[in-house]
Amino acid sequence: MAEKKTPAMNGEGSDGQGAFSRRDFLKAGAVLAASQALALGSRNAYAASDVVRIGVLNPSTGTYAELGRNQTRGAEMAAAEVNANGGVLGRKLELIVTDTASKTGLAVSKAHQLVKQHGVHFLQGTVSSAVSEAIEQASREMGVLFVDSGGHATPVTGKQCTWSTFRVCTTTYMLAAGIAETLMNKYGKRWYFLTPNYAFGLTEQAAFERILKAHGGTVLGSALAPLGTTDFSSYLIQAQAAKPDCLIILQAGDDLVHALTQVNQFGLQKKFGVAGGMMELEVLQALPAAARVGDWSFEWWWDQPHVPEVKPFVEHYRKRNGGKYPTARSWFGYVATHAIAQAANEAKSLDSVKVSRAMAGMTLPASVGLSPAKLQFRADDHQLMAGIFAGEVKSGGHYPDLFKVLKYEPGVSITQSAAEKGCHMTYPS
């Protein structure tokens, strides 16, 4: 798919290979070497331009396509607001959007193209944790600030943390910590896992297991399914045979739609609890009504009556997007774009190191944070302290009112410290 320039005036997936290796990174870079050498302009040539460019790396095809499209919609809305309020350092903000298809090699190639050929100053996006890890490495090598909108694997702001990467969405540990005790109290402590076999699923399962075992619980087993699985019957037969108190489903996007549809076809929700660490409005909307079951967490929710800034945000978003309601993914992209603009304006610079230092410890305004608690990028690991909206699917609910929020867990109450995650932040000298 060709890159799309978005002037912003209108209107966790992987390729199944898990973590992105140094060899993969070098291979992807080699593919670009010739075209970069022949490029007519360099990134420095764009530095004096009157336009500030952010490269947006989201999937618009593949398992996570709708999640990626909503992140882009949120980013475009934010960019329009930034431009309406004077832009970045008095310059127009432009988004250049490209499709990663949630494939690590392709995403790294696109990141190099955005920086070397399109002259973007910063990068943001991703849904796949494997892609997030790959872009984190590539952005550090290029010396370009990257804001991970939606890739959750804890190591991104943990043991792999770097000065050039920030993250908007929660970590996989936070997803688990936000709901694990609720599930133990409601269903019991004998769990079976259905897990996507790559960074996101593996780190989330590890977090759930850690919390479960600390409370005296038992892991009965797990089934690892490749990204893009459409037939979960064999995995669900294994889960049924284990006779768990609760089946913890860790898929996302289209994979979660397929898994829950087949859970309903097997009638498993009548035999044990069905739950997971992350649910999204895109998934609930796509599911048959009978398959909308279980206890889950949202990272942002469109109906927050006690947060006055949310209602006008929802109304504005719907006007831009044909009546569609914003999702957590919309909010991820919205926050990432506003955060980059805010940090650059505070730094009075487009230099990535200076912008990174400004963003570290930066608090988002209420009109951007759109949450019950003030949200800040923690300086120690560059993780946004976003919270969790835990609850249950509404039986008989209608779009968009498909989920009942039972509690809000502030990010600071469910996170690990930077040291616990293995993050030791350093900056270039």
Side-chain angles (χ1 to χ4, degrees):
M1 177 179 178
E3 286 76 18
K4 179 180 72 171
K5 290 188 178 181
T6 304
M9 302 299 289
N10 301 311
E12 229 67 274
S14 106
D15 54 8
Q17 302 303 312
F20 191 72
S21 69
R22 174 75 175 173
R23 183 177 63 182
D24 293 333
F25 175 79
L26 293 172
K27 182 178 178 181
V31 172
L32 291 166
S35 62
Q36 290 171 356
L38 294 172
L40 294 177
S42 71
R43 182 167 174 262
N44 291 335
Y46 286 96
S49 168
D50 60 355
V51 174
V52 176
R53 295 181 175 88
I54 298 176
V56 181
L57 293 153
N58 284 325
S60 57
T61 56
T63 300
Y64 294 156
E66 187 59 21
L67 307 183
R69 284 192 288 263
N70 280 335
Q71 286 186 178
T72 298
R73 290 176 181 122
E76 290 172 341
M77 177 169 157
E81 293 176 357
V82 168
N83 285 330
N85 286 281
V88 178
L89 304 178
R91 306 179 192 178
K92 178 182 176 183
L93 176 61
E94 179 179 85
L95 305 183
I96 301 181
V97 181
T98 189
D99 177 22
T100 67
S102 291
K103 296 183 181 295
T104 53
L106 177 63
V108 170
S109 295
K110 293 292 186 72
H112 277 279
Q113 290 172 6
L114 287 168
V115 173
K116 302 295 185 179
Q117 297 178 22
H118 293 280
V120 303
H121 299 88
F122 312 108
L123 296 169
Q124 67 128 300
T126 76
V127 173
S128 156
S129 289
V131 171
S132 296
E133 291 175 342
I135 300 303
E136 178 171 42
Q137 182 175 335
S139 65
R140 182 180 68 248
E141 295 276 347
M142 292 187 289
V144 175
L145 181 81
F146 164 54
V147 178
D148 174 4
S149 306
H152 294 78
T154 297
V156 170
T157 52
K159 61 184 180 181
Q160 295 171 204
C161 72
T162 177
W163 69 268
S164 57
T165 294
F166 289 75
R167 174 159 50 194
V168 173
C169 68
T170 61
T171 69
T172 43
Y173 182 88
M174 294 166 78
L175 287 173
I179 198 171
E181 289 191 33
T182 297
L183 301 181
M184 287 185 276
N185 292 334
K186 182 172 182 177
Y187 295 113
K189 300 180 181 180
R190 299 170 65 256
W191 293 357
Y192 190 92
F193 291 90
L194 179 55
T195 303
N197 191 15
Y198 79 103
F200 167 68
L202 298 175
T203 56
E204 189 177 10
Q205 180 178 328
F208 267 112
E209 287 187 0
R210 175 179 173 180
I211 297 168
L212 177 65
K213 291 175 181 178
H215 287 78
T218 302
V219 177
L220 298 179
S222 65
L224 300 178
L227 184 72
T229 296
T230 57
D231 183 0
F232 286 88
S233 58
S234 63
Y235 306 116
L236 295 177
I237 289 171
Q238 295 174 45
Q240 182 173 329
K243 298 181 180 179
D245 295 327
C246 191
L247 171 61
I248 308 296
I249 303 178
L250 303 181
Q251 272 67 24
D254 291 350
D255 288 9
L256 184 52
V257 173
H258 291 302
L260 283 175
T261 299
Q262 290 162 50
V263 162
N264 176 64
Q265 291 169 350
F266 277 71
L268 298 185
Q269 71 271 33
K270 299 175 183 177
K271 299 179 179 181
F272 40 71
V274 174
M278 184 178 73
M279 178 53 72
E280 309 198 69
L281 187 57
E282 294 91 343
V283 172
L284 288 180
Q285 186 179 6
L287 281 168
R292 294 172 182 157
V293 297
D295 299 74
W296 308 86
S297 293
F298 275 76
E299 293 170 87
W300 185 84
W301 187 239
W302 64 270
D303 185 16
Q304 298 180 54
H306 301 299
V307 182
E309 294 83 4
V310 170
K311 185 176 180 180
F313 168 79
V314 171
E315 291 174 349
H316 186 196
Y317 184 92
R318 293 189 68 204
K319 287 179 181 178
R320 288 178 55 90
N321 293 285
K324 290 184 177 181
Y325 279 76
T327 70
R329 295 290 170 176
S330 310
W331 180 72
F332 293 164
Y334 183 79
V335 170
T337 302
H338 266 297
I340 292 171
Q342 179 182 341
N345 282 329
E346 290 185 7
K348 296 181 172 57
S349 175
L350 297 178
D351 177 80
S352 281
V353 174
K354 292 179 180 178
V355 175
S356 173
R357 290 188 181 278
M359 194 179 295
M362 186 178 78
T363 299
L364 299 176
S367 59
V368 176
L370 299 169
S371 298
K374 287 186 177 181
L375 302 187
Q376 181 184 62
F377 285 100
R378 191 164 60 179
D380 290 347
D381 59 0
H382 296 176
Q383 176 65 50
L384 185 68
M385 289 292 102
I388 290 292
F389 297 80
E392 60 190 18
V393 176
K394 279 190 175 181
S395 177
H398 298 281
Y399 176 83
D401 190 20
L402 298 171
F403 187 75
K404 181 178 181 180
V405 176
L406 298 178
K407 66 174 181 177
Y408 174 77
E409 292 281 2
V412 293
S413 71
I414 55 176
T415 190
Q416 299 166 293
S417 70
E420 285 177 311
K421 294 191 298 180
C423 175
H424 304 285
M425 187 63 64
T426 60
Y427 275 80
S429 57

